[in-house]
Amino acid sequence: MSYYFCIVGTKDNPLFELEFGTSKSGGDGIARFPAEARRLNPFIVHASLDIVEEVQWLNSQMYLKRVDHFASSHISCFLTPTSTKFMLLHLPHPPNTAPPTVSVSQNPNIFPPYGPYTTTNPPSSLLRASTSSSSGNTAAIPNNPTSPQTEEALRLFFTEVYEAWVKAVMNPFQGINKVLSSPVFKARVVTAGKKFL
């Protein structure tokens, strides 16, 4: 899967943005968004803020799970006690392969530039490896964005990023609604992405 992670402040301003790919099941950690989709990602995440504001009053949890979808991409959210939102857009595709690369310039009738979500069966070697291990089915995480394993991995990712965010915001020179440009925080987000996603 390809991921676009964004932290949105209390005034709906972006505080941090990062694109990365899956590191599980042979993934290389590189985001493989098409060029058109890469430009749309901030707008898709920002459009789902309306749904987050509705859902936050119905749910007492900080992790709001999957709150929205656009074409074949899914948006998950984690809400902090200060109403800062951690938004994660994830676009599923088989590991180490790019999604379909049909450009709008090649076919102007195709919109959005996201390809349709198709489920692919993992190779039998992955199935044997995942069933023989005691950690569960790791092959299902990158291929199915709505599975319970993916939801748990996203929750763990958000929790670890939240801990790093709290430490970064405790800096007296960092405000709640100031852009977070700390290289240490970015490294911790990348590490959490590699660890859980």
Side-chain angles (χ1 to χ4, degrees), residues 5 50 65 70 98 103 196:
F5 176 70
D50 293 334
K65 298 188 179 182
F70 178 79
S103 172
F196 298 112

Side-chain angles (χ1 to χ4, degrees), residues 1-182:
M1 273 199 259
S2 293
Y3 299 97
Y4 171 75
F5 176 70
C6 181
I7 297 178
V8 180
T10 59
K11 299 176 183 174
D12 291 345
N13 54 325
L15 304 178
F16 180 80
E17 296 177 307
L18 180 67
E19 288 184 355
F20 59 95
T22 189
S23 296
K24 298 286 183 181
S25 297
D28 56 4
I30 298 172
R32 302 191 188 280
F33 290 108
E36 293 88 1
R38 191 165 296 211
R39 290 189 297 265
L40 286 176
N41 287 343
F43 297 107
I44 295 168
V45 167
H46 197 77
S48 64
L49 288 175
D50 293 334
I51 296 171
V52 170
E53 290 174 359
E54 291 176 10
V55 172
Q56 75 182 4
W57 303 112
L58 303 174
N59 192 347
S60 62
Q61 301 294 320
M62 292 173 68
Y63 176 49
L64 301 179
K65 298 188 179 182
R66 190 172 62 102
V67 293
D68 196 12
H69 69 280
F70 178 79
S72 62
S73 62
H74 302 271
I75 297 99
S76 299
C77 180
F78 184 91
L79 189 66
T80 68
T82 60
S83 294
T84 301
K85 299 154 196 80
F86 295 177
M87 308 290 289
L88 184 70
L89 181 141
H90 37 111
L91 177 66
H93 54 81
N96 288 331
T97 60
T101 56
V102 177
S103 172
V104 174
S105 60
Q106 293 171 348
N107 185 358
N109 296 327
I110 188 167
F111 186 83
Y114 294 90
Y117 174 66
T118 57
T119 304
T120 59
N121 293 329
S124 59
S125 60
L126 282 178
L127 287 175
R128 281 193 299 272
S130 64
T131 55
S132 64
S133 68
S134 62
S135 62
N137 189 358
T138 58
I141 291 175
N143 290 328
N144 187 359
T146 59
S147 71
Q149 295 90 354
T150 303
E151 289 292 334
E152 181 64 16
L154 290 174
R155 187 189 64 77
L156 293 171
F157 168 76
F158 278 132
T159 303
E160 187 148 324
V161 170
Y162 174 65
E163 290 173 4
W165 177 79
V166 168
K167 291 176 183 175
V169 172
M170 287 175 61
N171 180 351
F173 299 108
Q174 177 68 42
I176 295 283
N177 280 320
K178 285 178 63 179
V179 174
L180 193 55
S181 58
S182 168

